[in-house]
Amino acid sequence: MTHSFKLSRRIARLRVPALAAIIVLAGCNSTDSVSPDNSLPLTTGDSPTAAPTAPIADPSFSTSFAGGIPIGTFEQPTTTFGSRYNGAKENIAPSSLVSALSAIRSRGGKVVLMFAGSERYYKDASGHFSLTKWKERVNRYRNVNFSSYVSDGTVIGHYMIDEPHDPYNWSGEPVSPSTLEEMAKYSKSIWPNMPTVVREAPHYLATWSGTYHYLDAAWAQYLSRMGNPSDYIRYNVSEAQKKGLALIVGLNFMKGGNPNGTTMNATEVENFGSALLSSSYPCAFISYQYNSTYLSNTGIKSAMDVLRRKAENRSTRTCRGS
């Protein structure tokens, strides 16, 4: 899927202190095009404008995971896994999955994997979510044997869907929490030991009166318009705990600065990220999105080094729900 952040059309109606409302609506913007700076082969058809990428080569040395919780970005090149980043969300073609995971593991990395790809592949003729089509997309990975990477923690979760709450994504019909649980059940029927993840704020998931037996983790992506980051993480942890869900957190580098919609500066990255990492609850810190120019800025690199040390000094947590 495109993983773009839907911010501009929501600015007027999202304001603190209506924290519950803002957290639910913290997501993608379909008007922002995404061109991942990515060394991993994308699933066929998921990025029609992406240029062919070179084969992934294993480094000449092997590095184990440094400890704590993984930290990184969306669609991160394999070559960037190392001293600063050791986590990512990736969309890798079935034919390339095992070799890519091998390279990531050898660099001490951990990843959340998306199998379904762009949402356009699992919508019906009316633009609504189709569980049948989603299953077909996931089924492409059935015969790929990557179980060892799940067992050793290289794969920390299955990223099933992005922003199911937003009616804009699904022609006016959000994907219900009960459907998300059904998706997670299907994933577990194939890969019983792989945690299931949705990029959705815990508040929306907590609106369901049912119990999550198969869905493991929610996702809280922070932007400055969501108010105080310390309040934000406390609220999201509380909502996740209500439903027995693990929690992945991160920042929106490209649209999450102050004033609203601007790129985060180095001070914001360090301060906002430090607030999120003040909680011992999150199982990973993965931010949107990888951008080589932005992340090569000296100030941003220094800020991310601070956050890497904080993430590494945290107790390791699984992204499996309780």
Side-chain angles (χ1 to χ4, degrees):
M1 85 182 283
T2 58
H3 299 293
S4 16
F5 280 71
K6 304 176 182 70
L7 303 176
S8 58
R9 59 191 171 75
R10 300 180 186 147
I11 294 171
R13 73 175 189 268
L14 299 176
R15 293 289 185 270
V16 176
L19 189 56
I22 20 188
I23 289 172
V24 170
L25 294 173
C28 295
N29 183 343
S30 62
T31 63
D32 299 331
S33 62
V34 177
S35 300
D37 190 348
N38 187 2
S39 70
L40 293 176
L42 296 178
T43 299
T44 302
D46 288 347
S47 183
T49 60
T53 54
I56 299 169
D58 287 340
S60 58
F61 58 90
S62 181
T63 304
S64 60
F65 181 69
I69 64 172
I71 179 171
T73 67
F74 278 57
E75 322 308 347
Q76 183 175 299
T78 304
T79 53
T80 62
F81 284 85
S83 60
R84 181 170 295 125
Y85 307 113
N86 61 359
K89 173 266 172 188
E90 304 288 7
N91 182 12
I92 308 170
S95 61
S96 304
L97 183 60
V98 173
S99 62
L101 290 176
S102 176
I104 290 168
R105 178 170 65 184
S106 68
R107 291 178 174 272
K110 295 180 180 288
V111 291
V112 181
L113 294 174
M114 186 171 199
F115 296 149
S118 172
E119 64 192 38
R120 68 181 181 272
Y121 293 118
Y122 40 97
K123 291 180 178 180
D124 62 21
S126 299
H128 304 142
F129 174 77
S130 168
L131 181 58
T132 299
K133 290 187 174 184
W134 180 86
K135 288 179 179 179
E136 290 172 354
R137 294 289 293 176
V138 171
N139 284 343
R140 297 171 304 143
Y141 293 82
R142 270 185 174 273
N143 296 323
V144 182
N145 184 4
F146 61 99
S147 59
S148 65
Y149 298 98
V150 176
S151 299
D152 68 13
T154 301
V155 177
I156 62 175
H158 175 192
Y159 184 114
M160 299 191 302
I161 194 170
D162 183 69
E163 282 201 316
H165 81 272
D166 192 346
Y168 182 86
N169 295 342
W170 314 105
S171 293
E173 292 187 8
V175 184
S176 68
S178 60
T179 299
L180 300 176
E181 174 70 353
E182 185 65 25
M183 294 164 66
K185 182 178 181 179
Y186 188 74
S187 177
K188 291 291 181 73
S189 73
I190 307 171
W191 305 287
N193 297 317
M194 182 166 57
T196 52
V197 182
V198 293
R199 204 185 74 80
E200 182 59 73
H203 175 74
Y204 178 71
L205 302 175
T207 61
W208 187 42
S209 60
T211 300
Y212 293 108
H213 296 289
Y214 301 98
L215 179 61
D216 286 300
W219 198 303
Q221 206 92 50
Y222 178 80
L223 306 91
S224 64
R225 66 179 174 82
M226 300 167 124
N228 184 286
S230 297
D231 294 338
Y232 173 82
I233 186 61
R234 281 193 295 268
Y235 176 78
N236 276 277
V237 167
S238 174
E239 292 294 285
Q241 288 175 323
K242 286 179 184 178
K243 303 301 285 187
L245 296 170
L247 183 66
I248 296 175
V249 298
L251 304 173
N252 181 345
F253 295 141
M254 312 315 294
K255 292 285 188 177
N258 189 16
N260 181 69
T262 58
T263 302
M264 285 186 182
N265 60 41
T267 300
E268 289 174 325
V269 169
E270 182 173 340
N271 291 345
F272 296 160
S274 294
L276 299 185
L277 288 168
S278 67
S279 171
S280 62
Y281 194 79
C283 62
F285 186 100
I286 301 175
S287 297
Y288 183 88
Q289 66 176 352
Y290 180 82
N291 180 291
S292 58
T293 301
Y294 175 80
L295 293 174
S296 66
N297 176 273
T298 300
I300 299 299
K301 289 193 292 185
S302 296
M304 292 305 297
D305 285 340
V306 170
L307 299 185
R308 164 62 187 259
R309 290 192 293 271
K310 290 179 182 292
E312 190 172 321
N313 288 329
R314 287 271 318 283
S315 297
T316 299
R317 291 185 66 98
T318 177
C319 288
R320 189 178 300 279
S322 60

